[in-house]
Amino acid sequence: MEKKNVKKNTSGKRMFGKKLKLCIALLILGGIVGLIIGAVNFFNTEPVKRNASMTIEFTYEEAAQNKMPNGEPFTLDGIERDDIINAALTKLEYQDTYTPDQIRNSINISGSFPEDVLSRIQRYDSVYDYQNKRDVQMNNYYPTVYTITLYDDFDPGVSTVLLEDILREIVTEYKSYFLSNYTYVYSNDTKNNVFSLDKVDYRQQLSLIRGRMNIIKEYASYLFSKDMNYTYKGLNFHDLVVRCDDIEDTSLTGLEAIIIMKAYSKDPDRLKKMYQYNIEILENQLTRKKENLDSVNTLRDNYEMDDILYVEMGDSSVKIDGNSSGTYEKLTSRKIALTEEITNTNTSIAKLKEYLNDLNAGKATSQEIEKAEAEISAANSKLSDLEDTFKEMIKAYNDYKVTADNIIINDVYYTSPSLFSMSYIKRAVKYCIPTCMFAFLIFGIYMIISEKKKLNV
């Protein structure tokens, strides 16, 4: 009895061993088939090109809202600009070997979310205990990590080192470009050239000062609307607007009135010719406007208010009311507008003639002109100091919004069509899993058939 049990156990172990070997063999066979299919797909069906890739992550606050630091819609298209690619190639001394078009056509950009995006949203949600808040935030969350890939399409024979260097330089150049072009920019470095006061007359000097001041006012007002809470050394952007208004009220308005009234000028003859030229232009405009007004008056006075047309339609006629009332009103409106324009033009001509008479009278003394020059210089100095403050304030504001540390560039990752590359391993695993599952399914079917045979016996 014991010998029979021993034989039975030995036989069972042998059968289990055979089935285990068969299962392993089928799985190995499935893996080999998967590897072969993956290799065919990797090299022929969907071949992997040689490429170098880098990731760039934007961690400043507006990045997740799909905005640049200056509020513009976010885009990474700038990385494909000719000047950026040219700068990268020039640094590597390959500007004569490759063109921006070649490199640009070989670049691919893809966006993705940072790995901790869910934890960021959850931290945000913890502040607001609203229902479905997470769904809203997910829908409004944009990629902040981008992968830039450079393929070897522009030169299949390019070396691995050069492929990586070109990509690295392009991304580095783009980072500098981003920080200087997508932030808020104000520069007064060229004011001495563009807004030079020495070569223009006193009235034009005031106009140039006022023009520079208006630029500051408009820009500061815009920035204040973007962030009303930001301060720099105790100042917010609206404070600069107030300072500009103070310069206008205390320095420019009164000084301009004196200069115009007393006809201060560096070159009276040139100013006289300018007044005469402007008077001639306005008088020509006045003549044409008066002619237009006469024509409008004639049309209006002779226009029939009750305009009714009867149009024959076969055996009957159709009554059509004209638009005489509407046309008459338009003519009246045009008359009023022309009358106002003529009045304004006459006023401008009268002022210029008055300026011309003052200039001919030669009222300004050398002491008065020296005083005016000193006041203009003082106003210009005040504005220059304000411009320097504004420039510093914008630089500090940009540093507050985004710095170089908020743009993280990772090292280059190289990919090539090799059986030992990670790309092939991923592709092989993709195909090995289903082939091994199919092999295991065959083994399962075999086991079911074997058990049925035993039962039949």
Side-chain angles (χ1 to χ4, degrees):
M1 190 73 178
E2 290 180 1
K3 287 182 179 181
K4 286 182 180 181
N5 288 333
V6 171
K7 286 181 180 181
K8 197 172 183 180
N9 291 338
T10 303
S11 176
K13 288 180 180 179
R14 287 177 181 175
M15 286 298 295
F16 177 76
K18 288 180 180 180
K19 291 176 181 178
L20 181 61
K21 289 179 181 178
L22 177 61
C23 180
I24 293 173
L26 287 172
L27 290 175
I28 292 173
L29 180 61
I32 293 172
V33 171
L35 292 174
I36 294 172
I37 295 174
V40 172
N41 180 267
F42 187 73
F43 289 102
N44 294 317
T45 309
E46 298 178 18
V48 173
K49 300 176 183 177
R50 281 199 316 137
N51 66 79
S53 60
M54 295 182 70
T55 59
I56 179 170
E57 181 175 0
F58 301 88
T59 61
Y60 62 91
E61 185 177 353
E62 290 85 357
Q65 302 167 12
N66 205 41
K67 291 181 180 179
M68 297 293 193
N70 61 2
E72 295 178 9
F74 185 89
T75 176
L76 211 64
D77 293 343
I79 205 167
E80 298 178 332
R81 289 172 55 93
D82 284 0
D83 52 347
I84 289 177
I85 297 175
N86 264 326
L89 293 175
T90 301
K91 279 189 177 181
L92 298 171
E93 299 182 353
Y94 276 86
Q95 68 274 18
D96 297 327
T97 305
Y98 305 119
T99 66
D101 280 340
Q102 288 177 305
I103 303 299
R104 180 167 44 250
N105 294 332
S106 302
I107 291 178
N108 180 67
I109 302 171
S110 59
S112 60
F113 295 102
E115 293 181 359
D116 61 341
V117 60
L118 288 177
S119 61
R120 292 185 188 183
I121 295 171
Q122 288 169 353
R123 285 199 299 271
Y124 185 85
D125 289 347
S126 64
V127 181
Y128 304 95
D129 190 22
Y130 298 141
Q131 189 71 20
N132 298 326
K133 187 69 179 179
R134 184 174 294 108
D135 293 337
V136 174
Q137 290 302 313
M138 278 297 291
N139 292 334
N140 296 331
Y141 207 94
Y142 295 88
T144 56
V145 180
Y146 292 84
T147 300
I148 298 94
T149 304
L150 177 63
Y151 294 95
D152 66 349
D153 295 343
F154 66 96
D155 181 6
V158 65
S159 68
T160 301
V161 174
L162 181 57
L163 186 68
E164 293 177 349
D165 287 345
I166 291 175
L167 178 62
R168 187 180 291 110
E169 290 298 334
I170 288 174
V171 176
T172 302
E173 285 292 325
Y174 176 73
K175 179 177 180 178
S176 300
Y177 175 83
F178 185 96
L179 291 171
S180 61
N181 287 272
Y182 295 127
T183 53
Y184 297 102
V185 180
Y186 176 81
S187 176
N188 61 349
D189 295 337
T190 59
K191 69 176 185 295
N192 292 328
N193 297 324
V194 180
F195 299 115
S196 178
L197 302 181
D198 298 333
K199 299 180 181 179
V200 296
D201 215 340
Y202 301 122
R203 285 190 64 189
Q204 283 71 39
Q205 288 181 1
L206 295 183
S207 297
L208 289 174
I209 292 174
R210 187 175 280 111
R212 287 158 50 197
M213 192 171 63
N214 288 335
I215 291 173
I216 295 177
K217 286 179 64 176
E218 290 178 7
Y219 203 1
S221 297
Y222 170 76
L223 292 176
F224 182 70
S225 68
K226 289 290 183 182
D227 194 339
M228 297 182 182
N229 297 319
Y230 177 76
T231 58
Y232 172 73
K233 294 182 178 180
L235 295 174
N236 60 33
F237 287 115
H238 183 67
D239 292 331
L240 300 184
V241 178
V242 173
R243 289 191 178 187
C244 286
D245 289 337
D246 182 62
I247 294 174
E248 172 71 34
D249 296 337
T250 60
S251 300
L252 298 185
T253 303
L255 184 58
E256 185 175 40
I258 294 173
I259 289 173
I260 293 174
M261 185 171 57
K262 295 194 173 184
Y264 294 169
S265 176
K266 291 183 177 182
D267 190 344
D269 290 335
R270 183 179 62 182
L271 186 59
K272 185 185 299 183
K273 291 177 181 178
M274 184 188 74
Y275 285 152
Q276 291 171 342
Y277 176 72
N278 289 335
I279 289 171
E280 288 179 8
I281 292 176
L282 290 174
E283 285 179 342
N284 288 334
Q285 292 177 358
L286 182 63
T287 301
R288 289 194 297 272
K289 288 175 182 178
K290 286 181 177 179
E291 291 173 353
N292 290 336
L293 180 60
D294 291 339
S295 299
V296 170
N297 282 332
T298 301
L299 288 172
R300 180 174 175 274
D301 294 340
N302 297 328
Y303 197 81
E304 296 182 5
M305 287 293 293
D306 296 325
D307 184 18
I308 300 175
L309 300 176
Y310 291 92
V311 180
E312 297 293 333
M313 300 289 291
D315 296 332
S316 61
S317 60
V318 178
K319 177 184 175 182
I320 300 177
D321 294 328
N323 190 28
S324 59
S325 177
T327 304
Y328 187 84
E329 289 176 359
K330 288 181 180 179
L331 288 172
T332 303
S333 298
R334 181 59 181 156
K335 176 185 176 180
I336 295 172
L338 282 170
T339 303
E340 290 179 355
E341 290 176 12
I342 289 171
T343 302
N344 293 334
T345 304
N346 278 322
T347 302
S348 298
I349 292 173
K351 283 184 178 180
L352 288 173
K353 286 182 177 180
E354 185 179 344
Y355 297 156
L356 189 59
N357 291 333
D358 291 338
L359 188 62
N360 290 329
K363 296 180 180 178
T365 64
S366 58
Q367 291 83 1
E368 289 174 330
I369 290 178
E370 287 178 3
K371 181 181 178 182
E373 288 177 342
E375 291 180 4
I376 291 173
S377 178
N380 185 54
S381 179
K382 286 181 184 178
L383 184 59
S384 295
D385 292 341
L386 189 60
E387 284 177 322
D388 292 337
T389 301
F390 189 40
K391 184 178 178 181
E392 291 176 9
M393 195 168 180
I394 287 182
K395 184 180 182 305
Y397 184 62
N398 286 331
D399 292 340
Y400 162 73
K401 300 289 284 184
V402 58
T403 65
D405 293 337
N406 293 125
I407 303 176
I408 303 169
I409 297 176
N410 295 313
D411 202 8
V412 180
Y413 178 80
Y414 176 74
T415 301
S416 64
S418 168
L419 291 175
F420 301 100
S421 66
M422 185 58 66
S423 297
Y424 171 70
I425 293 174
K426 290 180 180 178
R427 193 80 62 88
V429 169
K430 174 184 174 181
Y431 288 100
C432 282
I433 291 175
T435 54
C436 288
M437 289 178 66
F438 183 72
F440 191 77
L441 178 63
I442 293 175
F443 176 74
I445 294 172
Y446 167 77
M447 289 294 294
I448 292 171
I449 294 172
S450 297
E451 291 298 323
K452 281 187 175 180
K453 286 183 179 180
K454 287 182 181 180
L455 293 173
N456 291 333
V457 172

